[in-house]
Amino acid sequence: MFEAADANDQVSLVINYPVTHPGSQLDNGAVVPGYLAPEDVEFSPPEIRKKYEAEYGQYEIYPAYGTDDNPVKEYTNVARHRRDMARFLDERYDWDLLAVQFQVTDSIFHDLDDRDQIRQVLENVDNFVGDIIDLKKDDADVFIASDHGMGDYEWTFYVNSWLAENDYCETTTGEEQYFRQAKDELKGKNGSNESSSIVSAVGTAASALSAVGLSPRRIHQGLGAVGLDKTVERLLPEDALVAAQNQVVDHENSVAYQLLFNSLGIHLNVEGREPNGQVSPEEYDDVREELINELSQVRDPDGNLVFDEVLPREEVYEGSHLEDAPDILLVPRDYQYDVSGSIVDTFRRYPHKNHKPKGILISNRDLDIDSETGASIYDVAPTVAAALGLPVDTETDGEVLGPFEADERVDWDEIAGEYREVSDSESGPTDDVEDRLADLGYME
């Protein structure tokens, strides 16, 4: 979006958006990278960071996740930098597009349990959003959108464990890369903390027990049989439990597996597509249909179905990159189930909060959204583009909402081409971003 605006000689200010590093070198604006960038990343233009920090203090991309000191202060401070950066750039640019992303409104639900603390952070962010809106020109269009909602989850379903129990997946001993560990690395931490000795001890014990045939999964199941599994989970820190889960998928010898940690997709290991495929192209349809039918009937320990739908990818995706999609897509019942790739017991009752499919879209314009069908997240980009008078991307799945009209449609890849070439040559290869996505569990 901001590259298309820049190509149209409009001024864009982009603050904290994910995957904006390596960043585009705009002719008419500024980019402050967000999620997946290292904490000490260079801004664009480069001098912005030094000037900002001389006035407002050190800019922080990431909070200290799970901090025990003062989490409300920590998360609020990170969010404050978004507001302060908007003010800082507003004083220096006559902008057409000001886009600000608040990552903490997501992370607090994953990292905090105290509802009052969560509410305090959200109220502070709400005030910051109001301050940013006050920067707008009198006739400016305002859009506030979330990419998903948040709500209560009751269970974690360990799909690779289920696949292993049902002879689709083989496992081996190894070390998994976990989300929190990768986020600490982006923050610049060296991994040393008070619980590291416990983590090391549990990991060593897990390896020793595995050597004599007692896997962490079998131990967890045995503890559950005598009612001690939840006690152990409560007393040991999360990182220690992660260390004990030292079984991972043996991809080469498996028929199917969840490839990306905590995704809602199952990949089949297909001959000619994967390096060590186990499923022939002739068997593919039958194996996939069998697996879809079995997953559709999975029930939790209370007897409730886990999935509302289990779908072949063709019913969800289309286009030239269909082959890159998971072979099977999972839709949890009422989104009350996390689907995890850890190899432990098949189910864990784990009340917590996580992503829900329905988010928010607020505007100072009448977007004429049907109360029954609602809008789609795909509608946001074309609507904002139309509001700016930009051509809408020909590759978008969304529609222009409300009073706005799109006079032209253009492939944004063509518009963005020159910016990406500059980004790759001056800011480093996109392999850096792909490596960070893999570290965080989004890619393999």
Side-chain angles (χ1 to χ4, degrees), residues 115-129:
R115 292 177 64 89
D116 184 60
Q117 290 180 338
I118 292 173
R119 176 176 289 275
Q120 289 180 60
V121 176
L122 291 176
E123 288 176 347
N124 290 330
V125 172
D126 184 64
N127 290 331
F128 296 155
V129 170

Side-chain angles (χ1 to χ4, degrees), residues 71-73 75-76 79 102-109 112 114-130 146 150 353 360:
V72 173
K73 181 179 178 181
Y75 286 99
T76 297
F102 288 91
Q103 186 72 31
V104 299
T105 55
D106 179 295
S107 53
I108 55 174
F109 287 98
L112 301 180
D114 189 306
R115 292 177 64 89
D116 184 60
Q117 290 180 338
I118 292 173
R119 176 176 289 275
Q120 289 180 60
V121 176
L122 291 176
E123 288 176 347
N124 290 330
V125 172
D126 184 64
N127 290 331
F128 296 155
V129 170
S146 69
M150 280 285 185
K353 295 189 183 298
I360 63 169

Side-chain angles (χ1 to χ4, degrees), residues 187-241:
K187 184 73 174 171
K189 295 181 179 180
N190 59 16
S192 61
N193 54 55
E194 185 177 349
S195 66
S196 61
S197 60
I198 300 176
V199 172
S200 177
V202 173
T204 301
S207 297
L209 290 168
S210 295
V212 295
L214 291 175
S215 70
R217 180 168 163 231
R218 288 181 61 191
I219 296 168
H220 189 272
Q221 289 174 330
L223 290 170
V226 295
L228 291 177
D229 53 336
K230 301 301 181 291
T231 302
V232 172
E233 290 171 359
R234 187 175 68 253
L235 295 178
L236 282 179
E238 178 184 357
D239 290 344
L241 289 171

Side-chain angles (χ1 to χ4, degrees), residues 307-329:
F307 300 110
D308 281 334
E309 292 185 291
V310 181
L311 303 169
R313 63 185 178 187
E314 294 84 3
E315 292 189 24
V316 180
Y317 300 111
E318 61 182 2
S320 58
H321 296 284
L322 180 62
E323 283 294 312
D324 297 329
D327 298 280
I328 298 171
L329 281 302

